[in-house]
Amino acid sequence: MQGIMQDWPLTVDKILEHARLQNADREIITRRVEGNIVRTTYGELYDVSKQVSNALKDAAMWRAEFQPSVATRSPRPMPSSF
């Protein structure tokens, strides 16, 4: 859906791309279920998300083939969410 103030749809990938452009070095801090703290940045998250996305495209995975997944409070499934 196109809006009046922007020329692109407001999707999760666009939000992550904006975060990378404006705050690439800003830390994302999460705690794993095991208790250890994991630190990454929006720039790193964007890069890993693009790698996952490109790997799925190369494997000819299409939207109809995706299976739903449950996201936990862990950074491990985060790149695949974008």
Side-chain angles (χ1 to χ4, degrees):
M1 181 171 132
Q2 301 285 329
I4 295 173
M5 296 180 66
Q6 61 194 36
D7 295 332
W8 61 89
L10 185 58
T11 55
V12 175
D13 64 316
K14 295 294 185 185
I15 294 170
L16 184 58
E17 186 174 347
H18 174 78
R20 178 186 61 94
L21 292 172
Q22 299 298 318
N23 300 298
D25 296 329
R26 180 152 310 185
E27 276 193 319
I28 303 169
I29 304 170
T30 57
R31 182 182 299 269
R32 290 191 175 163
V33 175
E34 299 87 16
N36 56 326
I37 294 175
V38 178
R39 296 173 184 267
T40 188
T41 64
Y42 283 110
E44 292 168 352
L45 177 60
Y46 179 85
D47 293 340
V48 173
S49 297
K50 290 302 278 184
Q51 288 175 356
V52 170
S53 175
N54 290 334
L56 290 172
K57 286 179 186 176
D58 292 343
M61 296 287 291
W62 305 106
R63 288 181 184 221
E65 298 176 27
F66 288 127
Q67 297 295 318
S69 63
V70 177
T72 61
R73 292 184 179 209
S74 168
R76 285 178 262 181
M78 197 181 315
S80 62
S81 300
F82 299 110

